[in-house]
Amino acid sequence: MAKLEIFQFPTRADNYGVLIHDPETGATASIDAPEAGPILGALARKGWNLTDILVTHHHGDHTAGIGALKSKTGCTVYGPAREAGLIAGLDVEVKEDDTVSVGHADAMVIDTPGHTRGHVSYYFPEESVVFAGDTLFSVGCGKLLEGDAPTMWQSLSKLAGLPPETAVYCGHEYTGANCRFALTVEPDNEALQARAAEVAANDAAGRPSLPTTIGQERATNPFLRASSPEIQARLGLEGQPLDVVFAEVRRRKDQF
């Protein structure tokens, strides 16, 4: 089976758009639709025709382009069933363990609520890639806007349980700021120190630090590392439930 081609590009202020393309069938999906113009430009640049949009959650910076793209291309829009009433133009409602196909490539839908009530992620196991929207960021995670800490911890744990080589594409590029925060809660983490230096060099050169990988996030992302003795000690939460430790990390990030 031909491998998916993946094209990432900036859009809006700090979103990243992603197109995935099956060269065997010509099928092309946009992961979310932050705004139509940059997506249409990316399609033209690659010579691809949009067939699908895979929506992770209902926020406007992930859905604003759906109407124009659907009108222009006739694409099919997939999105979380729990947010169906909030996503205009949704054609197919999806939930945990559903399968969405882009040409010959099959994605498993993973329910990852916490940032929003019905957020989903799309995992392509044969391609070793997951599109995590605003649940998991590079060295970070989404704010708890419609969920609580135990819910988000469960969602992040699902993603952390994917194979370490899995590439992670996120909805936003916040890696530099996330590294600066992460070093306040786990400053002696050598993998994090190295990651922060790499990201600083990328930022200086105008390069994105996305995609990341599940393995890299397990090693450096404090929101996945609630079991770290250093983090627990710095927070004064030794031996506490992991979702409690996570909640305190999230609280501190909100105030950082």
Side-chain angles (χ1 to χ4, degrees):
M1 184 184 75
K3 293 286 287 183
L4 282 176
E5 296 180 27
I6 302 177
F7 182 57
Q8 176 180 261
F9 52 95
T11 179
R12 298 180 70 99
D14 57 22
N15 286 64
Y16 265 83
V18 180
L19 296 175
I20 59 176
H21 176 74
D22 175 14
E24 289 189 356
T25 65
T28 302
S30 176
I31 307 300
D32 290 320
E35 55 181 337
I39 295 172
L40 291 170
L43 289 163
R45 176 177 172 185
K46 300 298 290 185
W48 297 342
N49 295 312
L50 188 68
T51 55
D52 307 284
I53 300 174
L54 309 186
V55 180
T56 61
H57 64 294
H58 70 84
H59 286 163
D61 62 334
H62 291 257
T63 61
I66 289 175
L69 291 168
K70 190 172 181 180
S71 176
K72 188 170 183 66
T73 68
C75 62
T76 300
V77 181
Y78 299 81
R82 293 181 66 191
E83 298 181 2
L86 301 173
I87 302 172
L90 186 65
D91 297 305
V92 181
E93 300 176 16
V94 299
K95 61 185 184 306
E96 180 99 0
D97 294 332
D98 284 348
T99 298
V100 175
S101 299
V102 179
H104 293 320
D106 294 334
M108 178 189 305
V109 178
I110 305 174
D111 283 342
T112 51
H115 179 63
T116 65
R117 184 174 62 90
H119 194 296
V120 298
S121 299
Y122 298 91
Y123 171 50
F124 289 79
E126 293 189 7
E127 309 290 334
S128 295
V129 61
V130 64
F131 299 96
D134 285 3
T135 295
L136 176 63
F137 293 136
S138 176
V139 201
C141 77
K143 293 182 177 180
L144 307 182
L145 298 181
E146 299 177 14
D148 56 19
T151 298
M152 185 62 130
W153 175 249
Q154 182 180 33
S155 295
L156 290 170
S157 297
K158 288 181 186 179
L159 296 175
L162 297 176
E165 68 274 13
T166 304
V168 181
Y169 286 83
C170 315
H172 299 271
E173 169 59 298
Y174 299 144
T175 315
N178 287 344
C179 283
R180 290 189 288 276
F181 167 74
L183 287 167
T184 70
V185 295
E186 201 177 20
D188 296 329
N189 181 334
E190 293 182 359
L192 175 58
Q193 293 170 1
R195 176 68 168 156
E198 175 190 356
V199 170
N202 287 341
D203 288 349
R207 295 187 300 262
S209 296
L210 299 175
T212 179
T213 67
I214 291 295
Q216 188 169 53
E217 293 310 301
R218 289 180 191 167
T220 63
N221 189 329
F223 297 100
L224 301 186
R225 294 178 54 76
S227 62
S228 160
E230 181 184 357
I231 290 178
Q232 291 188 9
R234 288 189 70 85
L235 302 182
L237 294 173
E238 296 96 328
Q240 292 298 305
L242 297 184
D243 61 339
V244 172
V245 179
F246 163 77
E248 178 60 15
V249 177
R250 183 65 258 179
R251 186 191 69 80
R252 292 188 180 208
K253 178 62 167 66
D254 290 342
Q255 297 177 352
F256 183 67

